[in-house]
């Protein structure tokens, strides 16, 4: 008998073997064959890498302003990136919901409860690093289009300290509102900040991330 609750839990549980060469190939296809050619119809992407020494695997920590962000995070962090994704993406019985769930999982995402950091989340994160993948976490949780850096969840710091992985701030701006005008392309700004050591104090890490993202995006720091 089908147990929807049990099936949903499976999407929260990942093993190291789930992050492999097929995951990288699927990410390559999604980023370079699907997303970038499509996005170039409507946007130009200005990618500023900066010349920082980045230790991998790490926590890739972007601000969150659109549904494009996971692709942009992969462009910034490179292939071999797992994602913490809200559990709501993995729920639903419609064809579209099942299609999205299947493909999000293939990309290396696993379900998390945004309200609290659960044991299953910690275990899956450990498996990510065991597979030598980096992990993308959006410290703001959901999408924030108000150009303000606020409501930062400390979960990304907890995971960083658990995994002994430095944090890579990634700033995204320019797609707060979607542009579908092919004759007037918008501009997406993507910039990598200075890595933050997991050894720093929890509050210092959060404030460092907030300030770097605010400076790179020119958003208001609240």
């Amino acid at each position: 008998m089908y147990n929807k609750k049990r099936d949903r839990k499976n999407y929260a549980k990942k093993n190291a073997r789930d992050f492999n060469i097929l995951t990288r190939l699927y990410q390559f296809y999604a980023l370079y064959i699907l997303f970038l050619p499509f996005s170039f119809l409507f946007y130009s992407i200005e990618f500023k890498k900066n010349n920082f020494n980045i230790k991998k695997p790490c926590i890739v920590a972007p601000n969150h302003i659109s549904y494009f962000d996971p692709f942009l995070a992969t462009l910034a962090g490179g292939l071999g990136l797992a994602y913490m994704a809200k559990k709501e993406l993995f729920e639903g019985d419609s064809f579209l919901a099942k299609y999205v769930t299947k493909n999000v999982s293939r990309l290396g995402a696993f379900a998390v409860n945004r309200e609290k950091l659960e044991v299953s989340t910690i275990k899956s994160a450990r498996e990510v690093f065991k597979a030598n993948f980096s992990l993308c976490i959006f410290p703001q949780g959901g999408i924030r289009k108000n150009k303000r850096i606020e409501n930062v969840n400390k979960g990304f710091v907890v995971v960083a300290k658990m995994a002994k992985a430095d944090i890579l701030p990634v700033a995204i701006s320019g797609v707060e509102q979607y542009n579908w005008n092919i004759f007037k392309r918008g501009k997406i700004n993507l910039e990598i900040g200075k890595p933050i050591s997991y050894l720093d104090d929890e509050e210092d890490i959060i404030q460092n991330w907030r300030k770097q993202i605010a400076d790179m995006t020119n958003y208001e720091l609240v």
Side-chain angles (χ1 to χ4, degrees):
M1 184 177 181
Y2 177 69
N3 187 318
K4 184 167 67 174
K5 183 177 181 181
R6 182 182 61 195
D7 187 59
R8 188 178 304 147
K9 284 185 178 180
N10 288 340
Y11 286 113
K13 183 179 180 181
K14 288 281 188 176
N15 296 308
R17 64 177 178 271
D18 295 318
F19 306 102
N20 50 49
I21 186 62
L22 290 178
T23 310
R24 292 176 186 268
L25 288 173
Y26 201 77
Q27 290 178 0
F28 178 89
Y29 176 78
L31 178 62
Y32 292 103
I33 306 301
L34 297 181
F35 174 74
L36 288 179
F38 169 77
S39 66
F40 282 156
L41 293 174
F42 306 98
Y43 293 95
S44 62
I45 299 178
E46 183 174 315
F47 184 14
K48 188 175 181 181
K49 295 184 179 181
N50 294 317
N51 191 26
F52 297 124
N53 182 27
I54 302 171
K55 296 179 182 179
K56 289 192 174 182
C58 62
I59 302 286
V60 176
N63 60 308
H64 202 2
I65 61 174
S66 77
Y67 289 111
F68 292 172
D69 297 345
F71 299 101
L72 296 170
T74 305
L75 186 60
L79 302 178
L81 186 64
Y83 314 85
M84 282 190 179
K86 61 182 181 180
K87 67 177 183 178
E88 289 80 5
L89 281 178
F90 298 84
E91 298 173 349
D93 296 321
S94 68
F95 172 79
L96 179 60
K98 291 179 180 179
Y99 178 81
V100 169
T101 296
K102 183 178 180 180
N103 287 283
V104 166
S105 182
R106 281 178 176 174
L107 283 168
F110 57 94
V112 299
N113 184 344
R114 292 185 296 176
E115 302 299 321
K116 62 179 180 178
L117 194 60
E118 298 176 329
V119 173
S120 60
T121 302
I122 297 295
K123 288 182 177 179
S124 293
R126 284 179 177 152
E127 295 297 307
V128 168
F129 290 104
K130 191 183 296 184
N132 204 34
F133 268 54
S134 291
L135 177 60
C136 178
I137 304 176
F138 294 102
Q140 293 172 295
I143 292 174
R144 304 284 185 269
K145 294 179 177 289
N146 59 4
K147 296 188 178 184
R148 304 173 75 183
I149 304 302
E150 59 184 352
N151 300 326
V152 176
N153 192 311
K154 70 176 183 179
F156 76 111
V157 181
V158 175
V159 174
K161 287 185 174 294
M162 174 276 299
K164 297 182 179 180
D166 290 343
I167 296 164
L168 185 66
V170 174
I172 302 169
S173 60
V175 69
E176 295 83 4
Q177 299 296 326
Y178 298 109
N179 171 53
W180 305 119
N181 186 348
I182 196 172
F183 300 106
K184 188 178 180 180
R185 297 167 75 208
K187 179 181 172 183
I188 297 175
N189 297 296
L190 180 64
E191 184 172 356
I192 294 177
K194 183 178 180 180
I196 304 170
S197 173
Y198 72 90
L199 295 172
D200 293 347
D201 290 337
E202 183 178 283
E203 189 59 30
D204 289 342
I205 292 175
I206 293 173
Q207 294 308 320
N208 190 340
W209 182 88
R210 280 166 39 86
K211 186 177 187 308
Q212 285 200 56
I213 298 298
D215 288 345
M216 290 187 286
T217 58
N218 290 317
Y219 285 180
E220 180 184 0
L221 186 59
V222 178

